[in-house]
Amino acid sequence: MADRYDPSVEESRWQAEWAARDLFRAPPRIEAEGRPKAYVLEMFPYPSGKLHMGHVRNYAMGDAVARHKRATGHAVLHPMGWDGFGLPAENAAFERGVNPKDWTYQNIAAMKAQFAKLGLALDWSREFATCDPDYYARQQEIFLRLWEAGLVYRKSSRVNWDPVDMTVLANEQVVDGKGWRSGAPVEQRDLVQWFMAITKYGDDLLAGLKTLNRWPDKVRTMQANWIGRSEGLQMHFPLADKPAGIEAGSIEVFTTRPDTLYGASFVALSPDHPLTKELAETNADLEAFRKQCAALGTSEEAIEKAEKVGFDTGLTVSHPFDSDWKLPVWIANFVLMGYGTGAIFACPAHDQRDLDFARKYGLPVRPVVLPKDADPEAFDIADEAYTGPGTIFNSQFLDGKSIEDAKSAAIESIRKLGLGEAKVNFRLRDWGISRQRYWGCPIPVIHCDGCGTVPVPVADLPVRLPDDVSFDKPGNPLDHHPDWKHVDCPQCGGKALRETDTMDTFMDSSWYFARFAGPSDDTPVAKDEATYWLPVDQYIGGVEHAVLHLLYARFFIRAMKDADLLEMTGREPFAGLFTQGMVTHETYKSATGSWLFPHEVETREGTLIEIATGEPARRGQVEKMSKSKRNVVDCDAILDQYGADVARWFVLSDSPPERDVEWTQAGVEGAARFVQRVWNLVQDVAALERNSVLEFGEGAMELRRVNHKSAEAISQSIDGFRFNSGIAVMYDWLNALGRARGQSGADWAEALREGAEMFTLCLVPFMPHLAESAWEALGMDGLASEQAWPASDPALLKDNLVTLPVQVNGRRRAEIRVAADASKDDVEAMARAHEDVRGFIGDAVIKKVIVVPGRIVNIVI
């Protein structure tokens, strides 16, 4: 046995052995049924070409869970794939002159090699990339089935348009009103887009959150807020003195505060409201205002941050409760066409946004909600709207009512007037999936002048992306490909055009976890296999995906079940969700202000120095590792120098997994020292034989209790996602085993050998390579990764001994270890016999001894 453990030799050896035995292949359903199952899944990576330490932490967590579940008797599915489509591949094609397909698959190969170094217990037999034609063929089939089910439709929608790149931009790609890549001012255009009808499932998605008790509360709250269910009133404000040429007779609004109708000051329309557009046709100033608003972009965040501005249309509407009361109609940049009806009535006294607008344009502010104990004659609104509780006043028939009672009364009154009714609304909007990109899943649709919009027959799937594309022209390469989009109509045989939009890449990740159940099946999902494996028992990934990816996946499961594409228990894809913290590192800057990599600085005589120049460098904040700030640690360099086990151990041990972990050199070196300490213990214990000891002395028995309690605590820590706590137990356990090496006797040898074997098996989820080498060195049969979790003897989990302080005249002088059920006489005798107690009492007469069972002994002299 080598004196020092060498990870560069041992890790590759065990990885080859696991692969040769195909150790981590998940069993098919027919073999797994009857056993508890554990589907463990980390959010699959985008193939950027290089793993970073955030990946290591994410996948080390999932691996620890999967290995522990396997050891505790579960049938485990722990697969891996690649989120292959996406804009970065097109950017690479644009910037480097490479084919997106070649770039993506080269990156997959590079990252898979890095994954192999980590020693993850993955079932690579189920691997796929979303850009594989076999995968996106099945996705196209899902699209067609959901279209048949009425969950896919096409309509005109307002989008951000880059006039130089000639493509739709997501809100996140609009920076200061300009395209993130072209720098051109972004325009707002109406474009025909494909949509998924996620809003049909609004109530279902909201109700389902209540069942997800193994999800973080913050994620459920974020999803609930995104769905944004609100109960209110949808009503009409009749136009007063309607000008000639205007078709509309009223303006329809949705409000959640009908109790404040008597506080109405004005009605506001979105710049994209149909009436706004109609008025703008004959009003150049209004059209200019609309263009000014359009330059803000379409995101709520951009609109919320912008100054509130408006345009007075000159129109008025009649108040529903008083036809003589006229309210002006304004166009306001903060009113969104995508929510409600694209029109609001404003009550400035009780909404800050409305108040800011009213003060800017000198519009009335009338309070109608009176705070408790406020004087109705004196209560007024200054610069801050009152949004708290109270009773209604200044509101005629609503006066004196609570807010909720006033809402009900107002809705009923509007209903009787025939001007509206109660309605539930959602902030959630239908999901626009059209992208004017090449590197995405083609939408399987053909446009025929005679037949209209026609689905591609399932037998003709996949609609493959052409490989011979050019990125030398702006816009979507599929649009200017010489022949790809020109096809015959599958219905009439006439000349037709393919749909050139591709699908949003969120589509790819909304069902991949179901495909893992049977990745070679000729249907989208192997129903029998999915019935067994789904839902995912433990899903792990960053909180940045808390809303869109997780929400779309939850919708997809429901839609696929309703379209008879999937069979599974329940309607939730992920039974358990864990969102891990980020890996962070100090930042460094040179004397000239340039960012420096960690390996470019060192400390000399207490001063941080830039190695290349010898000049002083500046230490900055600890931040998330990012290429832009160069505070990244090269994953390959760490694996090559220290090995995978050290990297895994550090990212799991340094802090609770939901919190950020700061990568430090000292922490990594500490993990490396731990490896050698374990190896030293194994070397000492390897020569010890297991013995059938009939009786253990108290010291050896105490070590056995440590062995069994530690194994149980570590198991519970992994189940509870408290990896750092489990690792802390392992440190204490190793210390206890180390102290035992100096003891003699067969009972000590047996307890130490037992402990080393149990410790090794408990090491498997964290440091699997070291565990295998230690298991082999101990002379054990088979692989450590194949063994069951060490069983803890219930009798040894109990505290049979208790420690009692012994006081003399109320002052602590000693402590004794006694059986938990020892009699008072036995406890008193042990206390009297303790040498420290005898030495203190001397020849004094003991007047009495007070024994409080399980707590204390007090000797009075």
Side-chain angles (χ1 to χ4, degrees):
M1 191 187 304
D3 290 339
R4 286 188 63 79
Y5 177 81
D6 186 351
S8 67
V9 173
E10 296 298 296
E11 291 189 349
S12 59
R13 179 165 75 98
W14 293 117
Q15 290 160 13
E17 183 68 19
W18 296 333
R21 298 193 187 199
D22 202 9
L23 194 61
F24 306 120
R25 181 187 288 266
R29 174 192 58 82
I30 195 167
E31 295 179 15
E33 279 185 328
R35 298 164 59 190
K37 64 95 177 178
Y39 185 175
V40 181
L41 184 65
E42 303 92 342
M43 295 180 184
F44 65 168
Y46 180 79
S48 60
K50 200 168 185 63
L51 286 179
H52 53 70
M53 297 314 299
H55 285 129
V56 174
R57 193 181 196 205
N58 188 38
Y59 297 116
M61 289 181 185
D63 200 57
V65 173
R67 286 178 176 272
H68 179 251
K69 289 296 184 184
R70 182 174 284 105
T72 53
H74 292 73
V76 174
L77 172 57
H78 186 209
M80 180 54 64
W82 309 93
D83 195 8
F85 280 133
L87 190 57
E90 286 203 32
N91 290 341
F94 181 82
E95 295 165 3
R96 305 171 198 175
V98 298
N99 185 286
K101 177 181 176 181
D102 295 339
W103 186 84
T104 300
Y105 282 103
Q106 287 169 6
N107 287 349
I108 288 174
M111 291 179 73
K112 189 172 181 179
Q114 288 183 301
F115 266 111
K117 289 184 179 182
L118 287 172
L120 302 172
L122 292 166
D123 181 356
W124 285 105
S125 71
R126 297 174 185 248
E127 176 192 13
F128 59 76
T130 57
C131 54
D132 294 343
D134 285 347
Y135 182 84
Y136 69 73
R138 304 283 76 83
Q139 184 163 303
Q140 290 169 346
E141 184 177 347
I142 293 172
F143 175 94
L144 296 176
R145 290 284 292 275
L146 297 186
W147 192 10
E148 289 176 13
L151 296 174
V152 173
Y153 65 93
R154 197 165 177 251
K155 72 168 185 178
S156 179
S157 174
R158 195 75 164 165
V159 296
N160 301 312
W161 180 260
D162 187 315
V164 173
D165 281 349
M166 292 196 297
T167 185
V168 170
L169 299 179
N171 289 326
E172 295 76 15
Q173 294 169 322
V174 180
V175 181
D176 296 328
K178 296 178 181 179
W180 68 284
R181 189 166 69 181
S182 71
V186 170
E187 302 171 0
Q188 299 296 297
R189 285 193 181 181
D190 290 316
L191 202 65
V192 176
Q193 305 270 285
W194 288 94
F195 287 84
M196 289 276 178
I198 189 174
T199 53
K200 290 186 177 181
Y201 291 87
D203 279 320
D204 191 0
L205 290 166
L206 197 59
L209 292 174
K210 298 176 182 177
T211 70
L212 297 174
N213 53 17
R214 291 201 297 118
W215 280 40
D217 289 341
K218 64 180 179 182
V219 174
R220 292 192 293 175
T221 298
M222 290 167 72
Q223 287 217 0
N225 291 340
W226 188 269
I227 295 168
R229 186 183 192 276
S230 55
E231 298 181 1
L233 168 67
Q234 191 141 318
M235 62 168 291
H236 294 269
F237 281 85
L239 279 167
D241 303 320
K242 187 178 76 168
I246 297 297
E247 293 185 9
S250 63
I251 296 174
E252 188 175 32
V253 305
F254 172 79
T255 178
T256 60
R257 295 298 304 270
D259 55 305
T260 64
L261 271 167
Y262 278 101
S265 174
F266 59 95
V267 167
L269 305 177
S270 163
D272 296 320
H273 192 281
L275 180 54
T276 304
K277 293 179 179 179
E278 187 177 1
L279 295 170
E281 289 176 1
T282 56
N283 188 325
D285 291 339
L286 176 53
E287 181 59 26
F289 177 76
R290 290 186 68 244
K291 289 182 178 178
Q292 174 189 339
C293 294
L296 290 175
T298 60
S299 73
E300 292 183 35
E301 181 182 11
I303 292 170
E304 191 62 33
K305 289 180 179 179
E307 180 187 3
K308 308 301 181 286
V309 293
F311 186 95
D312 187 357
T313 66
L315 301 179
T316 59
V317 293
S318 299
H319 194 283
F321 296 148
D322 184 350
S323 58
D324 293 330
W325 182 0
K326 310 300 182 188
L327 302 174
V329 178
W330 285 72
I331 315 299
N333 67 337
F334 62 82
V335 181
L336 300 174
M337 193 61 217
Y339 180 76
T341 64
I344 65 165
F345 89 83
C347 178
H350 305 294
D351 183 286
Q352 190 63 43
R353 186 184 53 186
D354 295 349
L355 180 62
D356 294 343
F357 191 90
R359 294 301 189 205
K360 182 180 181 72
Y361 293 106
L363 298 167
V365 178
R366 178 180 180 176
V368 292
V369 179
L370 185 68
K372 185 179 180 180
D373 299 328
D375 181 356
E377 299 298 326
F379 180 66
D380 200 7
I381 300 295
D383 296 326
E384 186 175 343
Y386 178 70
T387 59
T391 55
I392 303 301
F393 78 125
N394 287 339
S395 299
Q396 298 186 22
F397 73 97
L398 300 178
D399 283 353
K401 296 183 183 296
S402 68
I403 290 174
E404 291 305 313
D405 287 347
K407 286 181 181 179
S408 299
I411 290 172
E412 179 59 16
S413 180
I414 292 294
R415 186 190 67 79
K416 288 181 177 178
L417 290 170
L419 292 175
E421 59 186 0
K423 186 174 181 180
V424 173
N425 216 327
F426 290 91
R427 180 179 179 272
L428 180 68
R429 301 270 68 86
D430 277 346
W431 174 14
I433 66 165
S434 294
R435 297 293 180 268
Q436 291 69 40
R437 306 287 186 202
Y438 160 72
W439 193 235
C441 175
I443 294 175
V445 168
I446 292 171
H447 302 286
C448 174
D449 288 342
C451 303
T453 305
V454 180
V456 173
V458 172
D460 293 343
L461 300 179
V463 175
R464 289 177 177 265
L465 289 169
D467 291 331
D468 56 334
V469 290
S470 170
F471 291 85
D472 57 354
K473 298 179 182 178
N476 184 353
L478 296 177
D479 273 327
H480 50 71
H481 190 278
D483 52 42
W484 181 84
K485 66 180 179 181
H486 299 282
V487 294
D488 294 335
C489 173
Q491 288 188 2
C492 70
K495 299 297 183 184
L497 295 174
R498 289 193 187 281
E499 172 65 70
T500 57
D501 284 356
T502 53
M503 298 183 198
D504 180 8
T505 54
F506 275 120
M507 288 274 287
D508 312 338
S509 58
S510 290
W511 70 286
Y512 78 104
F513 48 88
R515 184 66 179 170
F516 275 134
S520 60
D521 203 82
D522 59 3
T523 64
V525 177
K527 287 185 178 180
D528 287 348
E529 295 293 319
T531 299
Y532 175 76
W533 287 113
L534 292 176
V536 174
D537 297 286
Q538 188 61 66
Y539 199 37
I540 305 169
V543 73
E544 66 270 19
H545 300 293
V547 176
L548 294 183
H549 162 55
L550 292 172
L551 186 65
Y552 292 151
R554 295 180 63 224
F555 156 68
F556 239 69
I557 284 294
R558 287 160 166 79
M560 289 177 71
K561 286 191 71 171
D562 292 348
D564 196 31
L565 285 162
L566 172 66
E567 291 178 4
M568 60 172 280
T569 302
R571 293 171 72 80
E572 293 294 340
F574 312 117
L577 172 69
F578 190 84
T579 55
Q580 85 281 0
M582 298 179 294
V583 180
T584 64
H585 198 290
E586 285 185 328
T587 53
Y588 310 101
K589 278 190 174 181
S590 69
T592 59
S594 300
W595 295 107
L596 297 172
F597 287 108
H599 66 265
E600 294 178 320
V601 299
E602 67 179 13
T603 300
R604 300 177 188 168
E605 299 179 353
T607 301
L608 189 69
I609 299 294
E610 182 182 358
I611 297 172
T613 65
E615 295 293 321
R618 287 180 289 156
R619 180 177 280 107
Q621 292 182 330
V622 174
E623 299 186 34
K624 176 186 176 182
M625 287 188 182
S626 69
K627 293 179 182 178
S628 62
K629 295 185 178 178
R630 296 194 171 190
N631 63 333
V632 294
V633 173
D634 185 87
C635 184
D636 279 335
I638 293 296
L639 297 181
D640 291 342
Q641 182 176 359
Y642 295 100
D645 283 347
V646 166
R648 291 165 59 125
W649 185 264
F650 176 76
V651 295
L652 294 179
S653 67
D654 196 63
S655 65
E658 68 276 10
R659 298 182 190 170
D660 294 348
V661 58
E662 181 184 354
W663 185 272
T664 64
Q665 189 65 25
V668 177
E669 291 173 354
R673 287 193 298 271
F674 176 82
V675 169
Q676 298 305 328
R677 287 183 59 204
V678 172
W679 191 240
N680 291 339
L681 173 74
V682 169
Q683 288 180 308
D684 287 350
V685 175
L688 299 177
E689 298 291 337
R690 294 297 298 266
N691 296 290
S692 299
V693 177
L694 298 178
E695 187 173 346
F696 288 87
E698 183 50 43
M701 184 58 78
E702 186 62 21
L703 179 59
R704 294 197 69 213
R705 291 192 190 97
V706 170
N707 295 339
H708 288 251
K709 287 181 179 179
S710 297
E712 181 69 15
I714 293 164
S715 182
Q716 292 178 1
S717 76
I718 296 173
D719 275 340
F721 266 79
R722 300 187 306 275
F723 306 111
N724 60 313
S725 298
I727 287 174
V729 171
M730 296 205 75
Y731 272 112
D732 291 340
W733 192 1
L734 183 63
N735 290 337
L737 293 171
R739 290 191 296 268
R741 283 185 289 181
Q743 303 295 328
S744 61
D747 60 342
W748 276 102
E750 172 63 13
L752 183 56
R753 176 76 194 203
E754 176 194 57
E757 292 173 10
M758 295 177 72
F759 182 93
T760 297
L761 294 181
C762 291
L763 193 61
V764 168
F766 307 109
M767 289 184 163
H769 309 88
L770 176 60
E772 294 288 7
S773 296
W775 191 249
E776 179 186 61
L778 290 169
M780 306 303 291
D781 294 332
L783 295 176
S785 297
E786 294 177 312
Q787 307 307 310
W789 192 261
S792 295
D793 185 340
L796 294 174
L797 297 179
K798 297 178 181 177
D799 280 319
N800 292 330
L801 296 178
V802 294
T803 301
L804 299 181
V806 179
Q807 295 181 343
V808 179
N809 288 346
R811 299 192 66 178
R812 186 182 183 127
R813 298 299 180 185
E815 61 181 32
I816 56 175
R817 292 276 288 166
V818 300
D821 57 356
S823 68
K824 286 187 177 182
D825 290 342
D826 289 342
V827 172
E828 180 179 334
M830 289 185 66
R832 285 173 176 267
H834 196 287
E835 60 179 348
D836 289 344
V837 174
R838 284 190 288 106
F840 184 81
I841 294 175
D843 295 332
V845 177
I846 297 176
K847 296 179 180 179
K848 63 178 177 179
V849 178
I850 304 168
V851 177
V852 181
R855 295 186 61 188
I856 198 170
V857 180
N858 189 18
I859 298 174
V860 181
I861 57 176

